Amino acid sequence: MRSTYAIEHIKQNRHNPNYLSSVEFDTTKLLLTNDINEAVAYADYVIFAIPSAFLSGELEKLTVSLENKIIFSAIKGIVPETSLIVGEHFHKTYNIPYDNIGVITGPCHAEEVALERLSYLTIACGDMKTAKVMAKNLNSHYIKTKISDDIVGTEYAAMLKNIYSIAAGIAHGLGYGDNFQALLMSNAIREMKKFIKKVHKMKRNINDSAYLGDLLVTGYSVFSRNRMFGNMIGKGYTVKSAQMEMSMVAEGYYATKSAHKLNEEYKAKTPIIDAVYDILYEGKEPKKVFKKLTEKLD
Amino acid sequence: MRSTYAIEHIKQNRHNPNYLSSVEFDTTKLLLTNDINEAVAYADYVIFAIPSAFLSGELEKLTVSLENKIIFSAIKGIVPETSLIVGEHFHKTYNIPYDNIGVITGPCHAEEVALERLSYLTIACGDMKTAKVMAKNLNSHYIKTKISDDIVGTEYAAMLKNIYSIAAGIAHGLGYGDNFQALLMSNAIREMKKFIKKVHKMKRNINDSAYLGDLLVTGYSVFSRNRMFGNMIGKGYTVKSAQMEMSMVAEGYYATKSAHKLNEEYKAKTPIIDAVYDILYEGKEPKKVFKKLTEKLD
């Protein structure tokens, strides 16, 4: 954890002072540190769970080798410095083989996990044996796990869904209703399929829970930071003021820029991503952009 | 309309006394009657929009020929007497050619249409020219239309989604959260695809708005009668008491029985439909049935 104050607070009170504060930790099972080297040296399996925008900076502090470590990402975003998803970033920047890289993906809002509501995770890894080990360890009476070999696809889906969630929020903020929201999600999953196919073509069912399920939970849930962020934009907040109002980072904000940039190469037809990009980065008026977007959807 | 009282009320007050009462009708454009023969004799295009359970009884009163009439269904259910979807019922029972039969489908809750919120319709018909005529006539500044030649698939989707919406309601009533709801919808669309493929195999994208969009609007919306009905069942109401509490018919209740019966022949793997059937028709306990169902989903 970055904050030493939060670490001390958890040690003394067994609760995180900032997020999901109702959850009680068994501190005897935790090694709490703000030193990435101490954490990595201690662990065989490392799960990264920080906003993607801060990952590169944290990793620069790393002096301990990542060789032979199993690295899982729960981040779901693009590393801005390299425009790579987290798995690719570890593979290309740190030479970690894909067999040692994995992704943990939903549909799984942390808020409901904290409430012990039944949730399903997909554990994707190049090495199916490693995926199984991780799946077994994350399994519990309220968490069911399945495994997948589609590291790239699941991680791109997890990243893209945040953009579609912002779009859903903007639509809601502009006054579009449930009928349009359903139409938007139906278009979003088709757009996502096209995009991911360009990035990494393989046999996958885009309606599996790691893709469609993850899109829906984020696009529909009131817990979603990205949807909340989009909603404020739709209601007329500027990007800056919406960000200031929210104490948490909306991953989709960065994802939009990265996906848009990546798509200059892939050239998938992505009217929804383009619309969100135009609003967030080109200063275009949400109402006008969405009016045009409605003509392109079906 | 069946009720002469409602007809008189609309004539005098320009509002329906029972449903969407805020909508104002231009009564100079309406021919209001409770006589199906008068309505059919007058019209070239006939849109049926009554609960599927009452269709067969109404049609028995028909003495005017349906020959050369264009028949559209906005019903989205199965005719209990013949276990056929409405299009099939007209085709097989009244020898109407498929070129004269069409389906109007969503994602499109009437409540939001009444509020003039942007909504999209799919108009399916055996004859594309007829589909275009109907699409053009239903088009407006808040209704966008697209056409399709998949009469059977769109109508089955519209029928099946009501069952999945009951399932979503039951899950909610039992205390499952948003994570599970997303997982359920992701499984539902895969199940729907398998079922429809068995009924009528053709090239279709199950993520098009007439299939996935329609499923989502019903499965997520607070307006959905089927979801409301399921929610009451999940909360412990008996089927009978839930039906008595609701003044409107939950189409999915009949659809569940019909789909279950049809599937004895098709033998698609449909754990969600089976679960809803077991609860509604076999008197099994929702909590136990859903616990088992969660083991079958992924």
Side-chain angles (χ1 to χ4, degrees):
Chain A
M1 302 184 74
R2 278 167 298 163
S3 157
T4 48
Y5 163 72
I7 290 173
E8 282 314 309
H9 188 98
I10 294 173
K11 280 183 182 165
Q12 277 168 36
N13 306 293
R14 294 190 289 182
H15 296 284
N16 186 312
N18 303 312
Y19 307 116
L20 298 176
S21 302
S22 60
V23 178
E24 192 173 318
F25 291 104
D26 179 352
T27 46
T28 62
K29 289 187 176 171
L30 299 179
L31 172 82
L32 290 161
T33 174
N34 76 334
D35 178 352
I36 190 173
N37 286 302
E38 192 183 345
V40 172
Y42 174 80
D44 300 317
Y45 287 71
V46 187
I47 301 176
F48 283 88
I50 60 173
S52 62
F54 304 134
L55 180 69
S56 177
E58 274 305 310
L59 287 173
E60 275 175 21
K61 302 175 193 162
L62 198 66
T63 53
V64 175
S65 166
L66 287 174
E67 219 187 315
N68 299 323
K69 302 285 182 189
I70 305 291
I71 294 171
F72 270 83
S73 163
I75 294 179
K76 293 138 196 194
I78 276 187
V79 184
E81 291 83 351
T82 55
S83 288
L84 298 169
I85 52 170
V86 176
E88 288 172 339
H89 182 80
F90 277 106
H91 179 68
K92 294 197 179 163
T93 315
Y94 293 88
N95 289 316
I96 315 284
Y98 272 122
D99 275 3
N100 288 2
I101 295 175
V103 175
I104 302 170
T105 189
C108 201
H109 267 293
E111 287 80 355
E112 287 198 346
V113 177
L115 294 166
E116 303 196 358
R117 299 264 192 121
L118 181 65
S119 303
Y120 292 64
L121 291 175
T122 293
I123 314 298
C125 185
D127 180 353
M128 286 292 96
K129 267 187 290 181
T130 304
K132 272 183 196 161
V133 171
M134 185 55 96
K136 205 183 152 199
N137 277 282
L138 292 177
N139 207 66
S140 74
H141 72 273
Y142 56 93
I143 297 283
K144 293 190 192 294
T145 49
K146 68 182 277 192
I147 59 172
S148 157
D149 61 349
D150 185 17
I151 330 177
V152 175
T154 52
E155 199 172 354
Y156 267 96
M159 179 272 280
L160 293 170
K161 64 132 202 272
N162 288 330
I163 307 173
Y164 299 126
S165 179
I166 292 180
I170 295 174
H172 185 77
L174 286 169
Y176 290 90
D178 293 347
N179 288 348
F180 183 73
Q181 159 74 359
L183 191 282
L184 184 67
M185 291 296 109
S186 141
N187 279 269
I189 193 69
R190 284 177 270 154
E191 187 175 302
M192 182 192 276
K193 185 179 177 179
K194 277 180 219 158
F195 193 109
I196 297 179
K197 196 176 165 186
K198 294 258 186 186
V199 176
H200 181 60
K201 198 174 173 176
M202 66 173 274
K203 200 176 150 60
R204 64 172 69 86
N205 186 346
I206 202 74
N207 288 342
D208 277 351
S209 56
Y211 314 98
L212 177 64
D214 205 22
L215 169 69
L216 293 180
V217 82
T218 314
Y220 273 100
S221 180
V222 289
F223 292 131
S224 164
R225 299 189 274 276
N226 293 291
R227 195 168 195 277
M228 214 183 298
F229 175 69
N231 189 36
M232 290 169 85
I233 300 294
K235 289 216 180 295
Y237 280 69
T238 63
V239 171
K240 209 162 202 171
S241 56
Q243 284 175 327
M244 275 165 64
E245 278 281 315
M246 293 177 66
S247 62
M248 296 191 277
V249 178
E251 277 286 353
Y253 174 72
Y254 304 106
T256 303
K257 192 171 183 180
S258 305
H260 190 265
K261 194 178 159 197
L262 278 171
N263 203 31
E264 286 173 7
E265 175 193 339
Y266 295 128
K267 297 194 195 331
K269 221 174 154 186
T270 56
I272 306 174
I273 295 172
D274 298 348
V276 176
Y277 181 83
D278 284 348
I279 293 166
L280 299 186
Y281 291 96
E282 299 285 346
K284 293 199 182 150
E285 206 189 309
K287 199 177 164 184
K288 278 188 195 161
V289 172
F290 263 66
K291 178 101 180 101
K292 264 194 198 167
L293 177 63
T294 63
E295 305 291 334
K296 292 176 191 160
L297 306 180
D298 68 3
Chain B
M1 302 184 75
R2 278 166 298 163
S3 157
T4 49
Y5 163 72
I7 290 173
E8 283 313 309
H9 188 98
I10 294 174
K11 280 183 182 167
Q12 277 167 36
N13 306 294
R14 293 190 289 182
H15 296 283
N16 186 311
N18 303 312
Y19 307 116
L20 298 176
S21 301
S22 61
V23 178
E24 192 173 318
F25 291 104
D26 180 352
T27 46
T28 62
K29 289 187 178 171
L30 298 179
L31 172 82
L32 289 161
T33 174
N34 75 334
D35 178 353
I36 189 171
N37 287 301
E38 193 183 345
V40 171
Y42 174 81
D44 301 316
Y45 286 71
V46 187
I47 301 176
F48 283 89
I50 61 174
S52 62
F54 305 134
L55 180 68
S56 177
E58 274 305 310
L59 287 174
E60 276 173 20
K61 302 174 191 162
L62 198 66
T63 52
V64 175
S65 166
L66 288 173
E67 219 187 316
N68 299 323
K69 302 285 183 190
I70 304 292
I71 293 171
F72 270 84
S73 163
I75 293 179
K76 293 137 196 195
I78 276 188
V79 183
E81 290 85 352
T82 54
S83 287
L84 297 171
I85 52 170
V86 176
E88 288 173 339
H89 183 80
F90 277 105
H91 179 67
K92 293 196 179 162
T93 315
Y94 293 87
N95 290 317
I96 314 284
Y98 272 122
D99 274 4
N100 288 2
I101 295 175
V103 175
I104 301 170
T105 188
C108 199
H109 267 292
E111 287 80 355
E112 288 198 346
V113 177
L115 293 166
E116 303 196 357
R117 299 263 192 122
L118 181 65
S119 303
Y120 292 64
L121 291 175
T122 294
I123 314 299
C125 185
D127 180 352
M128 286 293 96
K129 267 187 289 181
T130 304
K132 269 183 199 162
V133 172
M134 185 55 96
K136 204 183 153 199
N137 276 284
L138 292 177
N139 207 66
S140 75
H141 72 274
Y142 56 93
I143 297 283
K144 292 188 192 296
T145 50
K146 69 182 278 192
I147 60 172
S148 158
D149 60 349
D150 184 18
I151 328 177
V152 175
T154 52
E155 199 172 353
Y156 267 97
M159 180 270 282
L160 292 170
K161 64 133 200 270
N162 288 330
I163 307 174
Y164 299 125
S165 180
I166 292 181
I170 295 174
H172 185 76
L174 287 169
Y176 291 90
D178 293 347
N179 289 348
F180 183 73
Q181 160 73 358
L183 191 281
L184 184 66
M185 291 296 108
S186 141
N187 279 268
I189 193 68
R190 284 177 269 154
E191 187 174 301
M192 181 192 277
K193 185 180 176 178
K194 277 182 218 156
F195 193 109
I196 297 179
K197 197 177 165 186
K198 293 259 186 185
V199 177
H200 181 60
K201 199 174 171 176
M202 66 174 274
K203 199 175 151 60
R204 65 171 68 84
N205 186 347
I206 202 74
N207 289 344
D208 277 350
S209 56
Y211 315 97
L212 177 63
D214 205 21
L215 169 69
L216 294 180
V217 81
T218 315
Y220 272 101
S221 180
V222 290
F223 293 130
S224 165
R225 299 189 274 276
N226 294 291
R227 194 168 196 277
M228 216 183 298
F229 175 69
N231 188 36
M232 290 168 84
I233 300 293
K235 288 215 180 297
Y237 281 69
T238 62
V239 171
K240 211 163 200 169
S241 57
Q243 284 176 327
M244 277 164 63
E245 279 281 315
M246 292 178 66
S247 63
M248 295 190 276
V249 179
E251 277 287 353
Y253 174 72
Y254 304 106
T256 302
K257 192 172 182 180
S258 306
H260 190 264
K261 194 178 159 197
L262 278 172
N263 203 30
E264 285 172 8
E265 175 194 338
Y266 295 128
K267 297 195 194 333
K269 222 174 154 186
T270 57
I272 306 173
I273 295 173
D274 298 348
V276 176
Y277 181 83
D278 285 347
I279 293 166
L280 298 186
Y281 291 95
E282 299 285 346
K284 295 201 182 149
E285 205 188 310
K287 198 178 163 182
K288 277 187 194 161
V289 172
F290 263 66
K291 177 102 180 102
K292 262 193 197 168
L293 178 63
T294 63
E295 305 291 336
K296 291 175 191 161
L297 306 180
D298 68 2

